[in-house]
Amino acid sequence: MSAGIRRVVLIGSMGSGKSTVGRELADLWGWTFADADEVVEREAGCSVADVFAAEGERGFRARERKVMSGLLREAACVIASGGGWASEPGVWDALPDGTRTVWLRVSTRVALERALADGGRERPLLSGPDPMETLERLRRDRAASYERADLSIDTEGARPREIAERIATALKESQ
């Protein structure tokens, strides 16, 4: 990839494909890949759902901020952020030079299907009585933050490798 891009952060709702596409993009470029939720889990010694249960969303967001701060110091790295990270106060102003952000867009219906089918991973924010309404509300609340991304890619109906290739091409063309 270009010397001007040192890292790529994928943003979007849960179920948008950040982890899957991120792995493909990192593989395509020969970069490392990091999933912020997986790093939080590794450092906490428990699942994101357990962090939410023990520390609430505020505790999880504090852990997520710390993890992302560390990951954003890495070079040649594709980072899958948590779904709410982009809407947290101050994150956009703290992005280091050489960071490109990519919003992976997907409909609420498809995002919910993917999130609920994600290998049994618990989604604490979807544990209420109407997960579709909850996810739609989260997407509305976070839309303005997602729209700040350098690039926006629709992930619906495309294979992860194809999406990664589209991202790579678009980022190269934007140099």
Side-chain angles (χ1 to χ4, degrees):
M1 196 62 224
S2 168
I5 299 176
R6 301 198 54 200
R7 72 201 55 77
V8 174
V9 178
L10 302 178
I11 66 171
S13 72
M14 64 181 86
S16 62
K18 297 181 300 287
S19 299
T20 306
V21 172
R23 284 182 178 87
E24 290 287 342
L25 183 60
D27 180 63
L28 193 64
W29 287 344
W31 284 13
T32 59
F33 170 75
D35 181 308
D37 285 348
E38 289 176 4
V39 177
V40 167
E41 289 177 336
R42 189 169 50 250
E43 291 183 0
C46 60
S47 70
V48 167
D50 290 339
V51 172
F52 264 79
E55 302 173 20
E57 186 172 0
R58 174 178 270 168
F60 170 76
R61 295 292 173 209
R63 287 179 178 272
E64 180 183 57
R65 265 190 311 281
K66 180 178 177 249
V67 163
M68 285 298 292
S69 177
L71 292 174
L72 287 168
R73 288 192 286 270
E74 299 293 323
C77 185
V78 176
I79 304 164
S81 70
W85 173 81
S87 62
E88 287 296 300
V91 299
W92 290 95
D93 297 330
L95 290 175
D97 290 341
T99 303
R100 298 300 299 269
T101 54
V102 181
W103 174 22
L104 300 183
R105 294 185 335 258
V106 66
S107 70
T108 303
R109 180 188 55 78
V110 170
L112 183 61
E113 288 171 4
R114 290 177 182 173
L116 295 178
D118 187 15
R121 176 183 240 179
E122 292 180 58
R123 305 290 186 153
L125 294 177
L126 297 182
S127 63
D130 190 349
M132 178 69 92
E133 174 53 37
T134 300
L135 186 55
E136 184 58 40
R137 180 185 46 77
L138 289 170
R139 290 165 47 86
R140 279 191 313 268
D141 292 349
R142 298 169 176 173
S145 296
Y146 293 160
E147 289 170 357
R148 294 182 69 174
D150 298 311
L151 178 63
S152 174
I153 298 284
D154 184 0
T155 69
E156 213 159 310
R159 293 183 326 278
R161 186 66 173 208
E162 176 187 343
I163 297 163
E165 290 168 352
R166 288 177 17 212
I167 292 168
T169 299
L171 289 174
K172 183 178 180 182
E173 290 172 355
S174 72
Q175 293 294 324

